[in-house]
Amino acid sequence: MSNAALIQTDRFQLSETERSSIEHEMHHYEDPRAASIEALKIVQKERGWVPDGAIYAIADVLGIPASDVEGVATFYSQIFRVPVGRHIIRVCDSMTCFIGGHESILESVKSQLGIVPGQTTADGRFTLLPVCCLGNCDKAPAMMIDDDTFGDVRADGVAGLLEAYS
Amino acid sequence: MSKRLTSFGPINSIARTEETHPLTWRLRDDGEPVWLDEYQQKNGYAAARKALTDMAQADIVQQVKDSGLKGRGGAGFPTGVKWGLMPADESLNIRYLLCNADEMEPNTWKDRMLMEQLPHLLVEGMLISARALKAYRGYIFLRGEYVDAARNLNRAIDEAKAAGLLGKNILGSGFDFELFVHTGAGRYICGEETALINSLEGRRANPRSKPPFPAAVGVWGKPTCVNNVETLCNVPAIVGNGIDWYKSLAREGSEDHGTKLMGFSGKVKNPGIWELPFGVTARELFEDYAGGMRDGFTLKAWQPGGAGTGFLLPEHLEAQMYAGGIGKVGTRMGTGLALAIDDSVNMVSLLRNMEEFFARESCGWCTPCRDGLPWSVKILRALELKQGTTEDIQTLLGLVNFLGPGKTFCAHAPGAVEPLGSAIKYFREEFEAGVVRAPVEPRPTVVETPI
């Protein structure tokens, strides 16, 4: 990812859908602040990541300081403050998957895509991340690609799984 | 490689009855979710009807207290006692019931099964519990990665609303309760109940100081009760069938009552989860249910219930699975989903993997946890690469002490060092094998570790 992608000069505006979804979420809680994580997820769903401008825009809608929104955005592992790939690969690294051989899965993904956990492929197709136990312990090792969970993954089967995500 | 994961080992195919398997008897053989019609055909919401129309609020609390139900999230705190901490003051009329569905404990996957396959059991459990606690609103705090559970719970809530089982004047009782699914955005620490409250409020998931306990000052400062998914799923059967029945479930010798979702994974023949009475021996779970080790592997050690519990040896398989039974052999039952460590696994490498997880997931709030866990990872990596020094094991044991119970803000670091301490205790030679040299600069004096 080049640094140019991180420079955000355009004025940021929430789309109507984003704004109305965030306002809808606010009504589920006693305090609008509670919608901050969901608001970040709403923006991320639309744009793939959370640009700087979105932090201020969300803070504005919720009526809380932008620093608080940024504090939340940088705390949670599934909120992305830099652009990520079109597809997110999450390889479960729990001890059960460790025993099941998850390191060979990780090696296979790394060597095929040329990235390490935390990085995105140059073509912007995949981002690789670690994840807490996915709760598929009878089928270790497990991994997720976007919202799909796979169990009993073998190192030589990784290429076949990745193919389906263009 | 399977994609849609609907099965959880053989839990859908073993014999189950309403009398002996209160949590799982309604499961379908095909592993598909049980929706409202089928759930009601299988006696679903009968307990809620009884609780809302025939029982006084205090009687429900008393019944849960008398049943001896304990929390199923790992700590095992008596549920009735927790419920009893909610203020008696009627003027505090805004109260919350939170369901802790932030299941991220390594090797734990019982709540996912309940939420994906029996979403109405959780909704019914929360409805009855909310009535008992006078909570007008509930939130299911669900980890973000459980997308199927989120979908199924939301559908179940919609079905329940349409059938008048959630919302205003439920079943004509005058009781109102609304329920929301709140999905998280990662971080294991959200499962700590006060961190969960902070996260629900839209803050960083740092744990809060206790006291005040959530029952007094919880979400948005209001009285709040946080219970685990499996705990809440026990409530309908207790209310429906009574405490005499509930207390007859566990095996002789068990001090805990009822059934528990237990499991065994690792290189066993038949990994899975099963609903079993408290007091079954770990050997029965390991041999009769999980089928023992796969051919070519032998059992070297096992962990009774998640990453935060200590390691035990094969000889400890005689222990009965209940809090006191596992306590007798030196650790905690935790979530009751056991993990088999086979002879191909090096304990130093395994601990390195585990402490990497705990270090990554530390919220960073208190110094022992934030700095101690990465230190343990650094040492374990050195030992794994056979680059350790003669002081490393002593340093690790020092960390086990410094990060132990009572020395950190929450239970995260104590949970992280419990397996480390027991691994060094039982497999010290594997750690010693990584020691190759004296430290570059030997320490001038030995500092006594304060207790």
Side-chain angles (χ1 to χ4, degrees):
Chain A
M1 192 63 57
S2 75
N3 285 338
L6 293 172
I7 298 168
Q8 300 150 41
T9 49
D10 294 338
R11 195 165 171 279
F12 182 91
Q13 266 198 316
L14 289 172
S15 72
E16 264 319 300
T17 331
E18 287 169 330
R19 181 176 291 274
S20 65
S21 304
I22 293 168
E23 281 167 355
H24 175 75
E25 281 300 322
M26 281 162 58
H27 298 304
H28 292 177
Y29 307 97
E30 198 173 301
D31 176 5
R33 177 190 293 272
S36 64
I37 298 168
E38 197 55 38
L40 291 162
K41 285 163 79 172
I42 287 166
V43 169
Q44 184 164 292
K45 197 173 173 206
E46 291 286 313
R47 303 164 194 261
W49 66 297
V50 179
D52 291 349
I55 299 291
Y56 293 93
I58 290 170
D60 219 35
V61 175
L62 302 180
I64 60 175
S67 56
D68 286 9
V69 179
E70 179 73 328
V72 164
T74 53
F75 183 89
Y76 293 97
S77 48
Q78 305 304 330
I79 302 294
F80 309 132
R81 285 290 281 113
V82 291
V84 291
R86 292 191 295 283
H87 305 288
I88 309 288
I89 304 170
R90 295 180 174 89
V91 179
C92 179
D93 61 5
S94 73
M95 62 213 188
T96 314
C97 285
F98 174 83
I99 290 173
H102 94 283
E103 289 188 335
S104 68
I105 308 304
L106 203 53
E107 280 311 313
S108 173
V109 176
K110 280 158 72 176
S111 66
Q112 286 179 54
L113 300 180
I115 50 173
V116 298
Q119 291 184 334
T120 300
T121 53
D123 61 2
R125 186 173 161 208
F126 289 112
T127 294
L128 175 61
L129 295 173
V131 71
C132 293
C133 184
L134 287 172
N136 287 290
C137 309
D138 61 331
K139 300 184 184 65
M143 66 188 275
M144 268 183 112
I145 306 176
D146 298 337
D147 282 349
D148 303 321
T149 306
F150 301 90
D152 292 325
V153 181
R154 303 271 79 93
D156 58 12
V158 169
L161 290 181
L162 297 181
E163 247 169 49
Y165 300 85
S166 54
Chain B
M1 277 176 270
S2 51
K3 190 170 173 181
R4 291 266 131 234
L5 297 157
T6 52
S7 78
F8 293 81
I11 196 159
N12 294 90
S13 54
I14 59 171
R16 286 163 278 117
T17 71
E18 186 175 355
E19 286 70 35
T20 54
H21 295 72
L23 294 171
T24 58
W25 71 275
R26 294 185 181 94
L27 287 176
R28 293 166 56 95
D29 294 344
D30 62 7
E32 290 296 314
V34 176
W35 300 116
L36 185 61
D37 286 346
E38 185 178 355
Y39 186 70
Q40 287 189 307
Q41 281 160 23
K42 291 176 176 171
N43 210 17
Y45 288 102
R49 201 170 294 275
K50 182 177 169 188
L52 267 62
T53 56
D54 291 346
M55 288 174 80
Q57 168 269 335
D59 293 343
I60 309 172
V61 176
Q62 195 59 45
Q63 193 150 353
V64 168
K65 211 176 256 180
D66 291 343
S67 74
L69 176 65
K70 286 160 111 183
R72 303 289 200 247
F77 191 78
T79 307
V81 175
K82 198 181 227 184
W83 285 16
L85 293 173
M86 293 289 273
D89 185 350
E90 294 283 337
S91 70
L92 298 169
N93 59 355
I94 298 178
R95 296 155 187 248
Y96 292 99
L97 171 63
L98 307 185
C99 171
N100 187 342
D102 194 58
E103 184 176 65
M104 286 197 217
E105 182 71 22
N107 203 50
T108 300
W109 39 302
K110 61 189 181 67
D111 297 340
R112 184 171 76 87
M113 187 280 289
L114 289 170
M115 292 185 289
E116 285 184 7
Q117 298 196 38
L118 292 166
H120 279 287
L121 181 60
L122 178 59
V123 173
E124 185 181 10
M126 288 193 75
L127 173 57
I128 299 170
S129 305
R131 166 69 172 165
L133 300 164
K134 300 181 191 165
Y136 86 109
R137 193 182 264 189
Y139 294 95
I140 300 172
F141 190 107
L142 180 69
R143 70 177 291 195
E145 292 86 352
Y146 278 7
V147 283
D148 291 345
R151 194 186 54 240
N152 294 1
L153 285 169
N154 276 313
R155 176 168 161 185
I157 289 170
D158 287 345
E159 283 185 333
K161 269 195 234 167
L165 294 162
L166 287 174
K168 298 274 179 203
N169 190 20
I170 298 166
L171 298 168
S173 65
F175 177 65
D176 305 338
F177 180 60
E178 50 179 351
L179 183 56
F180 296 102
V181 175
H182 174 102
T183 57
R187 296 308 291 264
Y188 172 75
I189 197 64
C190 294
E192 202 278 344
E193 71 172 5
T194 59
L196 184 146
I197 290 173
N198 269 337
S199 186
L200 183 68
E201 287 186 1
R203 302 170 196 277
R204 294 165 79 96
N206 297 124
R208 293 179 178 180
S209 162
K210 290 193 277 190
F213 287 91
V217 182
V219 63
W220 301 302
K222 304 296 195 306
T224 300
C225 186
V226 188
N227 288 132
N228 166 262
V229 173
E230 189 186 350
T231 313
L232 291 163
C233 287
N234 269 279
V235 172
I238 291 171
V239 167
N241 303 344
I243 50 180
D244 290 339
W245 161 80
Y246 193 72
K247 288 197 158 175
S248 72
L249 289 170
R251 292 275 176 87
E252 202 175 318
S254 168
E255 292 155 11
D256 295 339
H257 300 292
T259 60
K260 174 84 190 74
L261 291 174
M262 300 185 197
F264 234 110
S265 33
K267 293 212 170 74
V268 293
K269 283 204 181 85
N270 189 16
I273 49 178
W274 303 272
E275 181 180 5
L276 294 172
F278 274 109
V280 298
T281 64
R283 182 172 300 285
E284 201 175 335
L285 180 61
F286 173 67
E287 286 178 358
D288 298 351
Y289 288 89
M293 297 304 289
R294 274 191 233 162
D295 295 337
F297 295 98
T298 51
L299 183 70
K300 171 174 167 177
W302 59 288
Q303 239 185 334
T309 58
F311 289 101
L312 295 170
L313 298 174
E315 70 208 48
H316 297 131
L317 283 172
E318 302 310 325
Q320 282 184 291
M321 293 290 282
Y322 72 95
I326 298 297
K328 271 182 223 163
V329 290
T331 186
R332 299 175 301 112
M333 178 158 162
T335 63
L337 280 85
L339 173 66
I341 319 297
D342 62 84
D343 55 339
S344 72
V345 177
N346 176 279
M347 295 307 282
V348 177
S349 302
L350 181 64
L351 265 295
R352 187 262 303 155
N353 165 270
M354 291 171 68
E355 300 305 338
E356 279 175 344
F357 157 77
F358 281 113
R360 182 183 74 208
E361 297 300 330
S362 168
C363 80
W365 180 257
C366 70
T367 309
C369 181
R370 181 187 60 236
D371 289 355
L373 292 173
W375 190 6
S376 75
V377 170
K378 203 175 158 192
I379 295 172
L380 288 162
R381 280 184 187 150
L383 290 172
E384 187 181 17
L385 295 169
K386 306 274 184 269
Q387 294 168 2
T389 74
T390 47
E391 283 186 358
D392 281 352
I393 294 172
Q394 210 45 47
T395 308
L396 285 177
L397 288 171
L399 287 169
V400 169
N401 179 25
F402 277 130
L403 275 63
K407 302 194 181 73
T408 56
F409 201 66
C410 79
H412 181 81
V417 295
E418 182 156 346
L420 180 58
S422 59
I424 297 175
K425 177 177 160 193
Y426 293 125
F427 302 98
R428 192 175 178 115
E429 67 287 354
E430 293 186 29
F431 290 82
E432 283 167 349
V435 173
V436 291
R437 61 182 172 87
V440 180
E441 282 182 47
R443 287 188 211 164
T445 51
V446 176
V447 180
E448 283 294 315
T449 306
I451 303 296

